[in-house]
Amino acid sequence: MKRQDFSTVAVAGSQEAGWLRFAGIQKQFGAFQALAGIDLEIRKGEFLCLLGPSGCGKTTLLRILAGLEQQDAGSLYMGARDIGRLPPAQRDYGIVFQSYALFPNLTVAANIGYGLRTGRQEKARRIEELLDLVGLPGSGHKYPAQLSGGQQQRVALARALATSPSLLLLDEPLSALDAQVREHLRRELRTLQQKLGVTTIMVTHDQEEALALADTIAVMRQGHIEQVGTPEQVYREPANRFVAEFVGRANWLPVTVEGEGALRLAGVTLACGKELGVSGPTATLFCRPEDVCVEPHWQPGGNTLMATVERVDFLGGLRRATLSLCAAHEITLLADVGPNDAGFAALVPGQRVPVRLPPERLRVFAGGAA
């Protein structure tokens, strides 16, 4: 499938579109092409996540931006300045690594103030200010070994922000933490970034993290950018099948394409709210589990099929039902149903339930089901 060029998408109304710009960035390691001509524009003050599987090139792109790796071709601009060949010290950024990279023999205060080149009193004031900012007041005398993983990551973040950089780079900063701490720090990081207004680029393979944190997500695969958009755009309107499969859970249902753009699934004709964009005879219907509507009773109407409840999993605030279509038992789909939804009580294994697929929530991709 031909890749779509979403690399220059920017949110309307921005006065700083293209403040940071990658133009044709290429990188090769031996026979392996890590980056195949990356074009990407980032607004000043934006929080952008580079999202993709291992080996897709996201960390290489971040390292090139940091000057820790040199591109083979292409240019890199910050404002009107070409920074693509400058040493790291001249690129005006702070960076936080997955491993924290704190100096174990220095106190928290000494770690944070390591890059500051100011007088003693001004440095001490700045360190205290940063400790308050990251929620660790009075911890300057401690050593990294005396802190939890989450606290160490806060210190690493404070150190990265110490010089008030124009750019903050985050390389999988939360992946080494347990789930509860990670979720808490995720909220704090987003609040802090919005408060400071610092342009931030984060590398992650965690789709939930990207969806929760980013203003913009750039989804990468095999050295290419597959889609750039807001979290909702990437989740709701995936540019291609790879993005649809990589971001979030999804149902993939085999359909035949009929005349006038209609679809047929298990003997039922379905309407789709978007242009099909595929030529028959077979295609794959895509919809999210939360968009599958389980009804308490059968009612005549379009896009409704009968299904059998095979399994129900409890997921806290909702139930995830595995359903098989009565007219084609081999076809299964997932439905996420909340306690306030009409069909919630009908989710009993073995029960037959009507299932409605809202036309406006359906997308069609070429090829067979995944």
PDB file of all heavy atoms in Angstrom, residues 23-38:
ATOM      1  N   ALA A  23      14.132  17.769   7.446  1.00  0.00           N
ATOM      2  CA  ALA A  23      13.957  17.814   5.996  1.00  0.00           C
ATOM      3  C   ALA A  23      14.822  16.737   5.340  1.00  0.00           C
ATOM      4  O   ALA A  23      16.042  16.864   5.260  1.00  0.00           O
ATOM      5  CB  ALA A  23      14.329  19.197   5.453  1.00  0.00           C
ATOM      6  N   GLY A  24      14.175  15.671   4.919  1.00  0.00           N
ATOM      7  CA  GLY A  24      14.866  14.618   4.181  1.00  0.00           C
ATOM      8  C   GLY A  24      15.926  13.876   4.976  1.00  0.00           C
ATOM      9  O   GLY A  24      16.954  13.469   4.416  1.00  0.00           O
ATOM     10  N   ILE A  25      15.695  13.656   6.267  1.00  0.00           N
ATOM     11  CA  ILE A  25      16.700  13.012   7.119  1.00  0.00           C
ATOM     12  C   ILE A  25      16.832  11.524   6.766  1.00  0.00           C
ATOM     13  O   ILE A  25      15.859  10.781   6.794  1.00  0.00           O
ATOM     14  CB  ILE A  25      16.345  13.160   8.617  1.00  0.00           C
ATOM     15  CG1 ILE A  25      16.313  14.635   9.015  1.00  0.00           C
ATOM     16  CG2 ILE A  25      17.331  12.379   9.489  1.00  0.00           C
ATOM     17  CD1 ILE A  25      17.660  15.331   8.968  1.00  0.00           C
ATOM     18  N   GLN A  26      18.059  11.122   6.458  1.00  0.00           N
ATOM     19  CA  GLN A  26      18.354   9.725   6.143  1.00  0.00           C
ATOM     20  C   GLN A  26      19.486   9.221   7.039  1.00  0.00           C
ATOM     21  O   GLN A  26      20.392   9.971   7.383  1.00  0.00           O
ATOM     22  CB  GLN A  26      18.768   9.566   4.680  1.00  0.00           C
ATOM     23  CG  GLN A  26      17.700   9.967   3.685  1.00  0.00           C
ATOM     24  CD  GLN A  26      18.150   9.761   2.249  1.00  0.00           C
ATOM     25  OE1 GLN A  26      18.928   8.856   1.953  1.00  0.00           O
ATOM     26  NE2 GLN A  26      17.661  10.615   1.354  1.00  0.00           N
ATOM     27  N   LYS A  27      19.389   7.942   7.391  1.00  0.00           N
ATOM     28  CA  LYS A  27      20.446   7.320   8.189  1.00  0.00           C
ATOM     29  C   LYS A  27      20.517   5.841   7.874  1.00  0.00           C
ATOM     30  O   LYS A  27      19.491   5.152   7.845  1.00  0.00           O
ATOM     31  CB  LYS A  27      20.181   7.521   9.698  1.00  0.00           C
ATOM     32  CG  LYS A  27      21.278   6.957  10.594  1.00  0.00           C
ATOM     33  CD  LYS A  27      22.598   7.685  10.391  1.00  0.00           C
ATOM     34  CE  LYS A  27      23.704   7.131  11.285  1.00  0.00           C
ATOM     35  NZ  LYS A  27      24.981   7.833  11.084  1.00  0.00           N
ATOM     36  N   GLN A  28      21.732   5.377   7.644  1.00  0.00           N
ATOM     37  CA  GLN A  28      21.954   3.971   7.334  1.00  0.00           C
ATOM     38  C   GLN A  28      23.031   3.419   8.263  1.00  0.00           C
ATOM     39  O   GLN A  28      24.032   4.068   8.533  1.00  0.00           O
ATOM     40  CB  GLN A  28      22.408   3.832   5.870  1.00  0.00           C
ATOM     41  CG  GLN A  28      22.367   2.405   5.363  1.00  0.00           C
ATOM     42  CD  GLN A  28      21.671   2.304   4.015  1.00  0.00           C
ATOM     43  OE1 GLN A  28      21.002   3.239   3.590  1.00  0.00           O
ATOM     44  NE2 GLN A  28      21.812   1.173   3.363  1.00  0.00           N
ATOM     45  N   PHE A  29      22.792   2.211   8.766  1.00  0.00           N
ATOM     46  CA  PHE A  29      23.792   1.491   9.567  1.00  0.00           C
ATOM     47  C   PHE A  29      24.159   0.231   8.779  1.00  0.00           C
ATOM     48  O   PHE A  29      23.420  -0.751   8.799  1.00  0.00           O
ATOM     49  CB  PHE A  29      23.247   1.119  10.939  1.00  0.00           C
ATOM     50  CG  PHE A  29      22.921   2.304  11.810  1.00  0.00           C
ATOM     51  CD1 PHE A  29      21.600   2.728  11.968  1.00  0.00           C
ATOM     52  CD2 PHE A  29      23.918   3.005  12.468  1.00  0.00           C
ATOM     53  CE1 PHE A  29      21.280   3.805  12.770  1.00  0.00           C
ATOM     54  CE2 PHE A  29      23.611   4.092  13.273  1.00  0.00           C
ATOM     55  CZ  PHE A  29      22.293   4.494  13.423  1.00  0.00           C
ATOM     56  N   GLY A  30      25.266   0.287   8.070  1.00  0.00           N
ATOM     57  CA  GLY A  30      25.625  -0.837   7.208  1.00  0.00           C
ATOM     58  C   GLY A  30      24.576  -1.005   6.125  1.00  0.00           C
ATOM     59  O   GLY A  30      24.259  -0.070   5.400  1.00  0.00           O
ATOM     60  N   ALA A  31      24.009  -2.208   6.041  1.00  0.00           N
ATOM     61  CA  ALA A  31      22.973  -2.478   5.035  1.00  0.00           C
ATOM     62  C   ALA A  31      21.580  -2.097   5.522  1.00  0.00           C
ATOM     63  O   ALA A  31      20.618  -2.150   4.757  1.00  0.00           O
ATOM     64  CB  ALA A  31      22.995  -3.963   4.659  1.00  0.00           C
ATOM     65  N   PHE A  32      21.462  -1.706   6.800  1.00  0.00           N
ATOM     66  CA  PHE A  32      20.153  -1.400   7.380  1.00  0.00           C
ATOM     67  C   PHE A  32      19.843   0.082   7.259  1.00  0.00           C
ATOM     68  O   PHE A  32      20.609   0.938   7.726  1.00  0.00           O
ATOM     69  CB  PHE A  32      20.128  -1.809   8.853  1.00  0.00           C
ATOM     70  CG  PHE A  32      18.859  -1.426   9.569  1.00  0.00           C
ATOM     71  CD1 PHE A  32      17.652  -2.029   9.244  1.00  0.00           C
ATOM     72  CD2 PHE A  32      18.875  -0.455  10.570  1.00  0.00           C
ATOM     73  CE1 PHE A  32      16.480  -1.679   9.899  1.00  0.00           C
ATOM     74  CE2 PHE A  32      17.718  -0.102  11.229  1.00  0.00           C
ATOM     75  CZ  PHE A  32      16.513  -0.715  10.892  1.00  0.00           C
ATOM     76  N   GLN A  33      18.728   0.398   6.630  1.00  0.00           N
ATOM     77  CA  GLN A  33      18.301   1.786   6.497  1.00  0.00           C
ATOM     78  C   GLN A  33      17.392   2.139   7.666  1.00  0.00           C
ATOM     79  O   GLN A  33      16.231   1.736   7.722  1.00  0.00           O
ATOM     80  CB  GLN A  33      17.571   2.015   5.171  1.00  0.00           C
ATOM     81  CG  GLN A  33      17.297   3.489   4.910  1.00  0.00           C
ATOM     82  CD  GLN A  33      16.790   3.750   3.506  1.00  0.00           C
ATOM     83  OE1 GLN A  33      15.992   2.979   2.985  1.00  0.00           O
ATOM     84  NE2 GLN A  33      17.238   4.835   2.895  1.00  0.00           N
ATOM     85  N   ALA A  34      17.923   2.913   8.600  1.00  0.00           N
ATOM     86  CA  ALA A  34      17.170   3.265   9.806  1.00  0.00           C
ATOM     87  C   ALA A  34      16.162   4.371   9.544  1.00  0.00           C
ATOM     88  O   ALA A  34      15.061   4.362  10.101  1.00  0.00           O
ATOM     89  CB  ALA A  34      18.130   3.687  10.915  1.00  0.00           C
ATOM     90  N   LEU A  35      16.524   5.337   8.716  1.00  0.00           N
ATOM     91  CA  LEU A  35      15.638   6.448   8.378  1.00  0.00           C
ATOM     92  C   LEU A  35      15.693   6.673   6.878  1.00  0.00           C
ATOM     93  O   LEU A  35      16.771   6.791   6.303  1.00  0.00           O
ATOM     94  CB  LEU A  35      16.041   7.728   9.117  1.00  0.00           C
ATOM     95  CG  LEU A  35      15.984   7.677  10.649  1.00  0.00           C
ATOM     96  CD1 LEU A  35      16.609   8.929  11.253  1.00  0.00           C
ATOM     97  CD2 LEU A  35      14.545   7.510  11.134  1.00  0.00           C
ATOM     98  N   ALA A  36      14.517   6.756   6.251  1.00  0.00           N
ATOM     99  CA  ALA A  36      14.463   6.800   4.784  1.00  0.00           C
ATOM    100  C   ALA A  36      13.865   8.108   4.287  1.00  0.00           C
ATOM    101  O   ALA A  36      12.859   8.121   3.584  1.00  0.00           O
ATOM    102  CB  ALA A  36      13.664   5.603   4.267  1.00  0.00           C
ATOM    103  N   GLY A  37      14.458   9.228   4.688  1.00  0.00           N
ATOM    104  CA  GLY A  37      13.989  10.520   4.207  1.00  0.00           C
ATOM    105  C   GLY A  37      12.849  11.075   5.026  1.00  0.00           C
ATOM    106  O   GLY A  37      11.728  11.223   4.545  1.00  0.00           O
ATOM    107  N   ILE A  38      13.125  11.419   6.285  1.00  0.00           N
ATOM    108  CA  ILE A  38      12.082  11.907   7.201  1.00  0.00           C
ATOM    109  C   ILE A  38      11.855  13.403   7.008  1.00  0.00           C
ATOM    110  O   ILE A  38      12.784  14.209   7.097  1.00  0.00           O
ATOM    111  CB  ILE A  38      12.471  11.631   8.670  1.00  0.00           C
ATOM    112  CG1 ILE A  38      12.571  10.130   8.932  1.00  0.00           C
ATOM    113  CG2 ILE A  38      11.481  12.300   9.628  1.00  0.00           C
ATOM    114  CD1 ILE A  38      11.268   9.385   8.823  1.00  0.00           C
TER     115      ILE A  38
END
